[in-house]
DNA sequence: GTGAAAGCGCTAACAT
DNA sequence: ATGTTAGCGCTTTCAC
């Protein structure tokens, strides 16, 4: 009987391939997984049979026995605004920073045949979903990019003994692996540059102060300025968005009209600040020098292009992924952290 | 013997729950899946047992029998630049447009307990990976956002009879479902608005002309302008990036210094155009009116804020997801298309 | 309404 | 070097 290539047929299984090749299932399994030695001749026969049948191993069946899903969860967690369930996702996915994280994660994972499942944990229900997704074995571990300090997810992950790695040091101490940047060093780079070009009235637009990264950038900046002989640095707090950067810059200008240098804790806020500066007819960098943080796409889209502190987000994301796969392979592994170094990228705004 | 709650233990299975509850596996399965009638009393006992054991159903085992993965692939396909494997991912993930797609997809999928696996198909190997991921049953179908015209993936998906839905009409006809926007209507909105405010020398910055959406926006714009009595519309082609928008605006200004209105085929290019206009000291909207397309985040971040044609990307992404789940549930379903309507959002740039 | 039992497709001992 | 076989944890007839 001729087998039609048109479908309603069930897909071929190992059994089918074995029959066609005239060997046992085990042998076929071996050539597919490259485990053990299999005779050259036989390997060829099996491969031919695989091509002929169009066989593709069933993942569920494989996972069932190997206890590996071959996927990990890429979780963005934060506080969803009650009422508008999707606002959080919308905001985070439109942030170029997250795009870089995703890109770095994918770039590394694709070399290991692992795939990321995108999840948003902005409500208690969503957090439960993440946890159960992992407990079900749907993913072998979680990569967590947390956007707010009180996030309970890291602790829950640890408690459930699920492999997980964070993008940044958690706000409250939790025995969990993470990658991070030396934010203080980055802020120092900005301070040195601003002072180096002669600024004497320098202010800063800080990120949300409940986030450790914001804290560190602020502390690092203040310390460095103090060492340069400037004990007082005016600050305005923003929320890492362009709009909040605008508002912060307005406040700064109103209270300290003589400002000649600004360090914004990320590029998005710097972008906002730039527009306000322009509106007030302050020439950048001639009258006010501006340094951003991150070196994300807005830094290049701005005019003048932003001088900024580069955060190697893609590398960090790749490192985070590698760390996670280590934890997946070796469940006992102790928490580990990897800190990356920032670099100053001098462009036109300072 | 006391069972320690500390782990190296294997996770509880249906069997364990059944034993604790004093019923059969089948019954536990029934209360979990809400299938069939199960006695009230027994339901309670079972639920208690589930809580007590901390049971979570194993997805691989379930998938093996239901033949459903409970995940779908969200694939971004395009041409990767040879040499820099990750550049494509970096570019697409930093595009706010993609963020909106992801957000819309997630928003819908979370209501159905389905999770998206993020994939990039920028090389032949990556395309094969997508195909085999689906054939393996790792995902039940694919959502495809294609960024270039010659993408072979849609046809391959159809050929393999894998459930798939595209974000936009494919460049060459393929019997596949998709959602799309009425781009021509959107372009007409822009033309009408520009003419309505008195512009008489209007040009357009088009998207890459091998992409159907770009073609449609251009055609729609020209047609509408022609109907308003303007048979000739200067055009400059861009690549949907801010930088390409700048370059296009420069060319337009050089060749047609008298321009008083511009329609950019997306907001990113409009943003670039705005900076060039500003550099050339052309007041927007007083001297040159500018209309963008998409209504994505740059539209609000610009100064002046962009008047633009809104594309309901999140709704479209949700619609695409719904369509896919339909196809997954009913394999025989014929290809279907859903076209969304654009709307003009008037802000400050025109 | 509930239980018993037969697989789903695969890998990994264990035999040979 | 290859084959045999016993499950992995679940859903789903089929009896009762």
């Amino acid at each position: 009987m001729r087998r039609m290539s048109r479908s309603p047929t069930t897909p071929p299984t190992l059994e089918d391939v074995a029959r066609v090749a005239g060997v046992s299932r085990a042998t076929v399994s071996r050539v597919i997984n490259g485990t053990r030695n299999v005779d050259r001749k036989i390997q060829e026969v099996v491969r031919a049979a695989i091509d002929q049948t169009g066989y593709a191993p069933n993942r569920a069946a494989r996972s069932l026995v190997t206890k590996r899903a071959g996927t990990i969860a890429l979780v963005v967690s934060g506080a969803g605004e009650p009422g508008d369930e999707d606002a959080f996702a919308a905001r985070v996915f439109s942030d170029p920073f997250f795009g870089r994280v995703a890109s770095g994660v994918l770039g590394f994972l694709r070399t290991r045949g692992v795939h990321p499942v995108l999840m948003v944990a902005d409500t208690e229900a969503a957090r439960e979903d993440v946890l159960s997704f992992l407990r079900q074995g749907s993913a072998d571990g979680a990569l967590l990019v947390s956007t707010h300090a009180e996030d309970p997810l890291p602790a829950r992950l640890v408690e459930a003994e699920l492999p997980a790695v964070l993008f940044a040091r958690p706000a409250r101490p939790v025995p969990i692996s993470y990658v991070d940047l030396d934010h203080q060093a980055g802020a120092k780079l900005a301070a040195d540059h601003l002072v180096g070009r002669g600024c004497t009235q320098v202010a800063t637009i800080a990120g949300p102060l409940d986030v450790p990264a914001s804290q560190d950038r602020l502390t690092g900046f203040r310390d460095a300025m103090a060492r340069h002989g400037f004990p007082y640095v005016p600050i305005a707090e923003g929320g890492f968005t362009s709009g909040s950067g605008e508002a912060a810059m307005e406040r700064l200008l109103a209270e300290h009209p003589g400002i000649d240098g600004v360090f914004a804790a990320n590029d998005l806020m710097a972008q906002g600040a730039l527009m306000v500066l322009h509106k007030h007819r302050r020439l950048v960098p001639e009258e006010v020098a501006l340094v951003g943080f991150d070196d994300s796409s807005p830094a290049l889209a701005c005019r003048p292009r932003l001088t900024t502190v580069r955060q190697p987000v893609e590398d960090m994301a790749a490192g985070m992924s590698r760390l996670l796969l280590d934890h997946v392979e070796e469940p006992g592994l102790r928490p580990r952290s990897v800190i990356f170094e920032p670099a100053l990228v001098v462009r036109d705004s300072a």
Side-chain angles (χ1 to χ4, degrees), chain A:
Chain A
M1 187 187 133
R2 198 160 121 264
R3 184 166 157 283
M4 311 264 291
S5 83
R6 302 271 320 121
S7 54
T9 309
T10 58
T13 70
L14 250 202
E15 185 79 51
D16 298 326
V17 178
R19 195 173 328 109
V20 170
V23 297
S24 74
R25 292 207 310 266
T27 299
V28 178
S29 175
R30 282 171 192 131
V31 345
I32 288 174
N33 298 299
T35 148
R36 258 18 216 259
N37 294 340
V38 176
D39 188 279
R40 293 300 245 173
K41 301 274 185 196
I42 299 208
Q43 287 204 32
E44 282 170 32
V45 176
V46 170
R47 285 198 210 292
I50 290 176
D51 286 354
Q52 189 188 325
T53 53
Y55 172 75
N58 178 306
R59 264 261 236 195
R62 180 179 286 179
S63 292
L64 187 53
V65 31
T66 62
K67 277 140 175 28
R68 281 282 154 61
T71 73
I72 56 96
L74 174 55
V75 184
V76 190
S77 81
E81 18 274 86
D84 189 350
E85 292 297 303
D86 296 333
F88 175 73
R91 180 158 45 77
V92 61
F93 288 133
S94 70
D95 189 328
F97 181 84
F98 183 77
R100 293 179 65 193
V101 173
S103 170
V105 167
L106 241 64
F108 178 77
L109 255 29
R110 61 160 48 181
T111 67
R112 310 278 291 254
V114 173
H115 300 274
V117 175
L118 205 53
M119 304 187 85
V120 170
D122 53 349
T123 62
E124 182 52 26
R127 279 188 288 274
E128 278 305 334
D129 187 39
V130 170
L131 256 6
S132 86
F133 193 74
L134 292 165
R135 275 196 304 251
Q136 285 180 135
S138 301
D140 299 324
L143 256 22
L144 188 60
V145 184
S146 191
T147 64
H148 86 305
E150 301 306 318
D151 189 0
L153 204 42
R156 306 265 287 275
L157 255 6
V158 169
E159 186 188 10
E161 301 184 48
L162 295 166
V165 180
L166 307 190
F167 190 84
R169 167 166 60 89
R172 26 193 81 193
V174 169
I176 195 168
S177 286
Y178 61 86
V179 295
D180 209 340
L181 184 80
D182 186 341
H183 299 284
Q184 303 216 21
K188 180 175 187 313
L189 252 23
D192 294 352
H193 184 71
L194 253 10
V195 171
R197 59 183 341 277
C199 297
T200 57
Q201 299 202 48
V202 176
T204 183
I205 299 176
L209 292 179
D210 59 336
V211 176
S214 302
Q215 279 283 9
D216 290 355
R217 289 175 200 175
L218 179 59
T219 306
F221 191 71
R222 277 181 164 153
D223 287 357
M225 289 304 292
R227 265 199 294 275
H228 283 295
F230 300 97
Y232 173 66
V233 175
I235 111 161
E237 184 178 350
F240 278 154
T241 63
S242 172
S244 70
E246 290 181 58
M249 191 69 238
E250 289 283 10
R251 292 200 300 278
L252 247 21
L253 242 25
E255 290 168 29
H256 309 272
I259 281 175
D260 63 0
V262 175
F263 167 52
N266 80 344
D267 291 340
L268 243 25
M269 294 193 300
Q271 184 185 38
L274 201 54
M275 293 187 307
V276 169
L277 254 8
H278 178 249
K279 187 183 105 188
H280 287 268
R281 300 275 186 279
R282 305 288 183 106
L283 254 42
V284 177
E286 294 81 357
E287 299 169 24
V288 180
L290 177 65
V291 176
F293 206 107
D294 279 352
D295 192 24
S296 52
S297 52
L300 278 168
C302 284
R303 287 298 172 281
R305 295 173 315 152
L306 251 36
T307 286
T308 188
V309 177
R310 178 170 181 80
Q311 183 172 13
V313 178
E314 292 84 356
D315 294 346
M316 294 168 68
M320 165 173 78
S321 309
R322 156 174 293 130
L323 224 40
L324 180 61
L325 295 194
D326 288 349
H327 279 290
V328 168
E329 275 164 27
E330 206 167 325
L333 229 53
R334 319 199 73 88
R336 200 183 291 177
S337 63
V338 181
I339 310 299
F340 289 73
E341 288 305 318
L344 186 72
V345 179
V346 179
R347 295 209 182 85
D348 312 321
S349 71

